[in-house]
């Protein structure tokens, strides 16, 4: 199918983009890589009156070392740019591990990190990585800017803490402590498909201190398994597996909630084996 | 009334200005307005890969971009690849290996395979399959396509 008609603007700077998005009388959507929004428009699941193309906002592109170590990644940075980045491989290895599993090469040349985070697809990798890395999401509107912790950002299925007219402008990833280890695992029917279940894990040292366990495609949003983290911290991987019942599992087209519960255990076990 | 915009872009080396409805996707513009029907349209939501083309050197889905977004861009379609001889080795290998039957997937498959080969991809069947995973072929069963890509990388083809 084809998209319904809309008005199109391609602002040359962020302030103009935010002004367009601030108009309460228009149903405006930002357009980033379009790799989720355009299919939704072609299916007419999305029919914005105004498309604000962020493609000319070079200020939202790029990967830079963060002020206190770590990384700052502009919202319009494409998956392909992240794949090619030494900084990402060094300072955000979870992103490097996950990228080959996100869609296909042609999608990764256009899809952006900001688009994926703003969309908050429960089956997407990036939102769960934000949780596992304790990332902060910088958001800006015509009223000003703020930072939102990943733990408070993802509020439900395709739902986030973003206010109307607010754009994701950057992702801030804090510096990992010495000896921090990371592991990623997902199960998909075919390479590049959305996962049936997946997990990102981080922990420090051989005793797996201060662990993070963040699942995607098992619930209505990306979820941290807090009790499983505590069990892992206490040194018991078996208890961690058993603690997964704390998650509010939700089925989708691929599998029902019970299967998701099972698959969560499978991916966690395999990820821990790689940590 | 559909809203329109004037765009200027270069397709296969030829630059022109065109007025396009903003809701028109890039592959429809290329096929219907420019008459370059080598790029195919299957699913119109990014999953089949039949519409794969090159925009500013990047492999993209022609059905997931609006033509208006390509203002100022340089585009290469399968026709452009044929004219320039880029990808001639892949074409020869596809023919030699019977890597197509109906040919519907072939323009997108060639564009994606070229992205892999020119990106310095290895003759590793799993890696080739991963790279081609977003392109559906309903005829060949993929083996012959992977064979053809390996032949090119390992220099077994005279273009
Ligand atoms: C065949 C196929 C397979 C895919 N497989 C996967 C997969 O396995 N895993 C996965 O994670 N994704 C997958 N995707 C989706 C892909 O990752 C998208 O690129 C991504 O979800 C959205 O990024 P985008 O830049 O394309 O955003 P867009 O599609 O442009 O936008 C997505 C949404 O976010 C909003 N938005 C965009 N940018 C911003 C911003 N800066 N601030 C506020 N709102 C914003 C838009 O208005 C829209 O609602 C797949 C897509 C396709 C077509
Ligand atoms: S028509 Fe574009 S991917 Fe299928
Ligand atoms: S040759 Fe027929 S779909 Fe590939």
């Amino acid at each position: 199918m084809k998209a319904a008609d809309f008005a199109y603007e391609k602002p040359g700077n962020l302030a103009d983009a935010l002004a367009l998005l601030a108009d309460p009388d228009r149903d405006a959507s930002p357009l980033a890589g379009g790799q989720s929004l355009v299919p939704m428009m072609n299916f007419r699941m999305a029919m914005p009156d105004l498309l604000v193309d962020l493609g000319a906002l070079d200020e939202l592109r790029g990967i830079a070392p963060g002020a206190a170590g770590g990384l700052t990644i502009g919202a319009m940075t494409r998956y392909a740019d992240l794949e090619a980045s030494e900084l990402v491989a060094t300072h955000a290895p979870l992103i490097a591990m996950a990228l080959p599993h996100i869609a296909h090469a042609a999608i990764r040349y256009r899809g952006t990190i900001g688009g994926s985070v703003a969309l908050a697809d429960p089956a997407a990798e990036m939102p769960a990585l934000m949780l596992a890395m304790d990332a902060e999401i910088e958001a800006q509107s015509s009223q000003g800017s703020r930072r939102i912790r990943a733990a408070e950002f993802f509020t439900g299925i395709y739902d986030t803490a973003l206010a109307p007219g607010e754009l994701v402008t950057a992702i801030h990833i804090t510096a990992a402590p010495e000896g921090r280890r990371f592991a990623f695992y997902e199960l998909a029917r075919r390479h590049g498909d959305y996962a049936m279940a997946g997990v990102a894990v981080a922990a420090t040292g051989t005793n797996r201190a201060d662990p993070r366990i963040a699942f995607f495609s098992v619930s209505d949003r990306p979820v941290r398994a807090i009790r499983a983290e505590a069990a892992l911290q206490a040194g018991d991987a078996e208890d961690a597996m058993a603690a997964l019942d704390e998650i509010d599992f939700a089925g989708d087209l691929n599998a029902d909630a019970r299967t998701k519960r099972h698959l969560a255990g499978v991916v966690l076990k395999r990820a821990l084996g790689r940590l | 009334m559909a809203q329109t915009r004037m765009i200027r872009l270069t397709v296969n080396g030829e630059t022109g200005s065109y007025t396009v409805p903003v809701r028109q996707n890039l592959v429809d513009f290329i096929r219907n307005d420019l008459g370059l029907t080598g790029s195919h349209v299957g699913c119109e939501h990014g999953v089949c890969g039949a519409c794969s083309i090159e925009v500013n050197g990047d492999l993209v889905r022609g059905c997931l971009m609006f033509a208006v977004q390509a203002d100022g861009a340089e585009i290469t379609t399968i026709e452009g690849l044929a004219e320039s001889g880029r990808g001639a080795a892949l074409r020869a290998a596809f023919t030699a290996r019977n890597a197509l039957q109906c040919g519907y997937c072939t323009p997108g498959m060639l564009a994606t395979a070229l992205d892999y080969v020119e990106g310095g991809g290895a003759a590793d069947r799993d890696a080739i399959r991963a790279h081609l995973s977003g392109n559906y072929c309903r005829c060949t069963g993929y083996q012959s396509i992977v064979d053809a890509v390996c032949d090119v990388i390992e220099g077994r083809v005279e273009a």
Side-chain angles (χ1 to χ4, degrees), chain A residues 89-116:
Chain A
T90 311
H91 298 287
L94 271 178
I95 293 184
M97 289 174 197
L99 280 166
H101 300 273
I102 302 178
H104 316 286
I107 314 285
R108 294 197 296 268
Y109 278 119
R110 291 201 60 83
T112 66
I113 189 168
S116 181

Side-chain angles (χ1 to χ4, degrees), chain B residues 99-106 109 136-140 145:
Chain B
L100 63 151
Q101 288 176 30
C102 78
Y104 203 83
C105 69
T106 312
M109 207 55 99
Y136 287 3
C137 176
R138 300 285 83 151
C139 302
T140 63
I145 295 175

